[in-house]
């Protein structure tokens, strides 16, 4: 079991930046993926960025070039640096830890942090 706690959300003007952080209660070394998801009001939760245990990163097309995910396996943290924020980035952002075992996987979620971008 691991608990994830997000921080860093808030209100920002369009074009601004925010840095989200996710602190894990234990080691994240065993998790294949550390992800940031987001869910806007009335929409499905969507994957925003992934940092794998092998060191690779992936991004949703909508945030490529604007967001950067960083994973620190020593401090057991994951961050999401967001630049050039747009109104459509407004959502609750969730940290996710995923451990895969063949076709099966285990997910752990944080409670979420609200990001609001005013236009």
């Amino acid at each position: 079991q691991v608990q994830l706690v997000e921080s860093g959300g808030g209100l920002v003007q369009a074009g601004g930046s925010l840095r989200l952080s996710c602190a894990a209660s234990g080691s994240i070394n065993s998790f294949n993926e550390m992800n940031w998801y987001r869910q806007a009001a009335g929409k499905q939760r969507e994957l925003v960025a992934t940092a794998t245990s092998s060191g690779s990163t992936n991004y949703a097309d909508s945030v490529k070039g604007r967001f950067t995910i960083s994973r620190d396996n020593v401090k057991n943290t994951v961050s999401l640096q967001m630049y050039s924020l747009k109104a459509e980035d407004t959502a609750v952002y969730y940290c996710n830890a995923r451990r895969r075992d063949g076709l099966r996987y285990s997910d752990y979620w944080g409670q979420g942090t609200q990001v609001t971008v005013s236009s």
Side-chain angles (χ1 to χ4, degrees):
Q1 288 281 356
V2 66
Q3 293 183 336
L4 304 172
V5 179
E6 301 99 335
S7 60
L11 174 63
V12 64
Q13 288 188 333
S17 61
L18 277 176
R19 183 179 180 88
L20 305 183
S21 295
C22 172
S25 61
S27 173
I28 64 171
N29 288 325
S30 67
F31 289 100
N32 304 91
E33 299 172 9
M34 295 300 298
N35 302 304
W36 284 98
Y37 281 78
R38 68 186 181 187
Q39 187 167 19
K43 295 187 177 181
Q44 290 188 331
R45 191 171 296 189
E46 63 171 346
L47 179 61
V48 174
T50 297
T52 71
S53 55
S54 63
S56 63
T57 57
N58 293 288
Y59 300 91
D61 287 343
S62 59
V63 306
K64 279 182 182 176
R66 300 189 298 120
F67 290 11
T68 301
I69 188 171
S70 299
R71 172 176 178 161
D72 189 326
N73 290 331
V74 175
K75 296 182 179 179
N76 297 314
T77 58
V78 181
S79 63
L80 186 68
Q81 180 67 56
M82 306 183 292
Y83 296 104
S84 302
L85 284 162
K86 305 175 181 180
E88 51 262 44
D89 294 318
T90 295
V92 178
Y93 284 70
Y94 296 91
C95 180
N96 165 261
R98 178 164 293 153
R99 183 181 293 118
R100 294 187 181 272
D101 181 12
L103 296 178
R104 303 173 65 177
Y105 58 90
S106 300
D107 273 344
Y108 298 88
W109 294 91
Q111 82 287 353
T113 186
Q114 175 72 46
V115 172
T116 303
V117 183
S118 62
S119 57

